[in-house]
């Protein structure tokens, strides 16, 4: 494919251009209003009126009035809740700069967002409308992703055929719908992997300019997705077909609420195995373990990254910070012959400390054990939400793509 094959680039807004980098304000709201962890998200995005506001059927204030009614807030208290709910969101200025570059290079650019009609005025306040030729907002259109009509409308407004456009969104169902329409589409996992994907399509993406960072004294590595490759989406889909599961079901079973409990030590490995067994209709935890051993093959280790960590210890303190199950240390020793507490100056397992990334507290705990300030450390992780949270507290963060 040549560079001229792609004439237009279409980007989602929430979860792509604007992301929640600091979850602490929502957690503080949950504590203040006696809500369960994650319940603020459910109140808003799980609201029975969420589709109505995104389709422009009701006003923004009507939607938030309903949210307030369900938690007993109104007036200034409701306005405070709404402000703090969005308080941890941050615009990705580097991504906006890339979009501006591509627009200056002659590509058509568009924002395609499921959002209330009010988004247009907010984007204008942000000062980023110059990056886009058109804004397509579901609340203005009466259509929303993944309806095929809204992709077709976006294509008409940028004036290109489906095969001449790329679409970037954080939601799997929206990406799959775009592909069915004929667009080149990818799930947004961060700017680093996006650059690679666009280059593979022939889009002339410039390399980011980097400045040397003074006074770095420590490097912090993630394990899953960095030291060891994660199971790819195609493999997950293959297992779902093999197990006759609906799309997205297996990911929720493996890495949903039960995993989130496991990774902070709220349940142990055996309870997690029983959860897997129940969800997959397996006879017992032993059968669940055999399934996981087949699902997670043993050839995913990245020896180049481990070699880099070892080499860095000549000059820096090196840490391993992992959202993990309680017995990760023993599993790594058994599978790879690596003793993490001798290979790393500091090892922080989320299940052992009761905290998990992207909680800022687990970063501060790791920095304390390394005896460095945030600006004196580099953090390497594959997860965008962890990268965003690390940067929010002042760490130099690098998103891992490949060795």
């Amino acid at each position: 494919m040549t560079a001229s094959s792609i004439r237009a680039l279409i980007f989602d807004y929430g979860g792509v251009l604007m992301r929640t980098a600091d979850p602490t304000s929502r957690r503080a709201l949950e504590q203040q209003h006696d809500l369960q962890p994650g319940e603020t998200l459910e109140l808003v995005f799980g609201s029975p009126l969420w589709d109505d506001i995104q389709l422009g059927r009701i006003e923004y204030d009507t939607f938030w009035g309903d949210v307030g009614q369900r938690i007993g807030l109104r007036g200034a208290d409701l306005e405070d809740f709404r402000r703090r709910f969005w308080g941890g969101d941050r615009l990705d200025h580097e991504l906006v700069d890339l979009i501006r570059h591509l627009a200056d290079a002659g590509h058509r650019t568009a924002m395609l967002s499921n959002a209330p009609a009010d988004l247009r005025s907010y984007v204008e306040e942000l000062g980023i409308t110059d990056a886009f030729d058109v804004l397509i907002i579901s609340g203005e259109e009466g259509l929303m992703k993944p309806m095929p009509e809204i992709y077709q409308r976006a294509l008409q407004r940028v004036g290109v055929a489906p095969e001449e456009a790329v679409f970037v969104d954080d939601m799997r169902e929206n990406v799959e719908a775009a592909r069915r329409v004929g667009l080149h589409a990818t799930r947004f996992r961060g700017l680093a992997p996006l650059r690679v994907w666009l280059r593979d399509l022939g889009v002339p993406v410039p390399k980011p300019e980097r400045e040397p960072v003074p006074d770095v004294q420590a490097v912090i590595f993630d394990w899953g997705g960095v030291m060891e490759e994660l199971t790819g989406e195609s493999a997950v889909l293959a297992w779902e077909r093999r197990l006759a599961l609906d799309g997205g079901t297996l990911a929720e079973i493996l890495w949903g609420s039960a995993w989130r409990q496991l990774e902070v030590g709220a349940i142990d490995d055996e309870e997690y195995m029983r959860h897997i067994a129940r969800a997959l209709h397996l006879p017992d935890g032993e059968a669940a373990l055999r399934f996981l051993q087949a699902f997670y093959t043993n050839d995913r280790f990245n020896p180049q990254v481990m070699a880099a960590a070892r080499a860095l210890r000549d000059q820096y303190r090196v840490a391993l910070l992992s959202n993990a199950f309680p017995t990760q240390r023993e599993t790594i020793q058994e599978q790879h012959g690596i003793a993490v507490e001798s290979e790393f100056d500091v090892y922080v397992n989320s299940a052992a400390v009761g905290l998990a990334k992207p909680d800022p507290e687990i970063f501060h705990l790791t920095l304390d054990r390394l005896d460095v300030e945030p600006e004196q450390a580099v953090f390497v992780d594959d997860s965008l939400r962890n990268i965003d949270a690390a940067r929010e507290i002042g760490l130099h963060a690098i998103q891992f793509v490949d060795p």
Side-chain angles (χ1 to χ4, degrees):
M1 180 172 293
T2 63
S4 59
S5 299
I6 301 298
R7 298 174 52 210
L9 302 103
I10 305 170
F11 294 87
D12 180 32
Y13 176 76
V16 178
L17 285 153
M18 183 69 75
R19 304 189 298 274
T20 303
D22 183 359
T24 55
S25 59
R26 289 179 186 171
R27 291 178 184 171
L29 284 173
E30 288 164 352
Q31 293 172 355
Q32 179 180 343
H33 297 288
D34 197 25
L35 301 172
Q36 294 299 311
E39 199 171 346
T40 53
L41 291 173
E42 183 60 27
L43 275 168
V44 177
F45 302 129
S47 164
L49 298 182
W50 183 238
D51 280 359
D52 289 325
I53 186 65
Q54 291 186 106
L55 287 168
R57 295 171 181 161
I58 61 174
E59 297 295 324
Y60 197 59
D61 287 343
T62 302
F63 171 81
W64 278 100
D66 177 74
V67 172
Q69 186 174 8
R70 284 183 285 133
I71 53 176
L73 296 177
R74 60 183 182 176
D77 291 336
L78 177 58
E79 179 58 32
D80 178 68
F81 183 96
R82 180 165 68 177
R83 177 184 57 79
R84 290 167 63 193
F85 180 83
W86 302 116
D89 285 11
R90 302 290 183 266
L91 180 67
D92 190 332
H93 292 280
E94 192 174 359
L95 176 56
V96 173
D97 287 344
L98 173 62
I99 295 170
R100 286 188 175 115
H101 171 88
L102 294 170
D104 290 343
H107 293 86
R108 298 280 290 169
T109 59
M111 179 191 296
L112 172 56
S113 178
N114 283 359
D118 306 65
L119 178 64
R120 182 176 295 272
S121 60
Y122 184 62
V123 170
E124 290 172 352
E125 289 177 15
L126 289 172
I128 61 171
T129 53
D130 65 296
F132 302 97
D133 294 296
V134 293
L135 304 180
I136 303 100
I137 300 167
S138 64
E140 295 179 340
E141 306 294 335
L143 298 167
M144 61 187 290
K145 300 172 288 186
M147 297 175 181
E149 294 85 358
I150 198 164
Y151 300 100
Q152 292 159 355
R153 189 166 294 183
L155 290 166
Q156 290 168 1
R157 292 189 185 168
V158 293
V160 301
E163 65 273 12
E164 296 175 313
V166 301
F167 174 68
V168 182
D169 196 292
D170 63 313
M171 303 294 290
R172 176 201 276 185
E173 59 266 34
N174 296 341
V175 169
E176 291 174 348
R179 288 171 180 163
R180 288 193 292 270
V181 172
L183 291 95
H184 305 277
T186 189
R187 285 185 71 185
F188 184 74
R189 302 180 186 278
L191 187 51
L194 178 63
R195 288 177 185 274
V196 174
W197 183 75
L198 289 173
R199 287 193 193 107
D200 288 344
L201 286 175
V203 178
V205 178
K207 291 184 178 181
E209 296 182 3
R210 300 295 185 211
E211 296 292 332
V213 178
D215 199 30
V216 169
Q217 298 179 24
V219 183
I220 305 168
F221 287 92
D222 177 34
W223 182 270
V226 177
M227 292 290 175
E228 187 175 67
E229 292 180 20
L230 297 177
T231 302
E233 190 170 296
S234 60
V236 174
L237 292 173
W239 272 102
E240 286 179 335
R241 289 191 293 268
R242 183 173 173 180
L243 298 169
L245 297 173
D246 293 336
T249 303
L250 185 56
E252 176 59 29
I253 291 170
L254 295 179
W255 308 305
S257 59
W259 170 260
R260 290 191 290 273
Q261 289 180 291
L262 179 70
E263 70 179 1
V264 295
I267 62 174
D268 61 18
D269 292 28
E270 291 184 2
E271 177 56 35
Y272 179 69
M273 292 302 169
R274 288 193 290 271
H275 156 76
I276 299 294
R278 288 191 299 269
L280 295 179
H281 306 291
L282 300 173
D284 52 31
E286 287 295 324
L289 177 59
R290 289 193 294 273
F291 162 73
L292 291 177
Q293 288 170 338
F295 180 81
Y296 293 111
T297 58
N298 286 334
D299 59 352
R300 299 173 295 119
F301 182 59
N302 282 328
Q304 308 99 311
V305 186
M306 189 70 238
R310 287 169 174 158
L312 286 166
R313 288 190 77 186
D314 291 339
Q315 191 172 350
Y316 305 96
R317 289 176 59 74
V318 177
L320 178 63
L321 169 56
S322 182
N323 281 5
F325 49 96
T327 55
Q328 184 192 47
R329 176 196 292 108
E330 294 80 4
T331 300
I332 292 173
Q333 176 74 58
E334 178 183 339
Q335 292 185 349
H336 307 300
I338 293 171
V340 293
E341 289 180 328
S342 62
E343 293 282 3
F344 297 90
D345 298 295
V346 168
Y347 169 52
V348 178
N349 179 325
S350 64
V353 299
L355 298 165
K357 298 173 288 185
D359 189 327
E361 291 305 311
I362 199 168
F363 294 113
H364 287 300
L365 183 149
T366 305
L367 292 165
D368 287 345
R369 293 185 180 180
L370 287 166
D371 194 26
V372 297
E373 298 299 319
E375 63 273 13
Q376 295 174 313
V378 174
F379 173 62
V380 183
D381 196 294
D382 65 305
S383 167
L384 178 60
R385 68 175 191 159
N386 296 340
I387 291 292
D388 284 342
R391 287 176 177 160
E392 183 71 9
I393 70 163
L395 276 159
H396 304 288
I398 298 172
Q399 187 173 14
F400 182 86
V401 177
D402 58 47

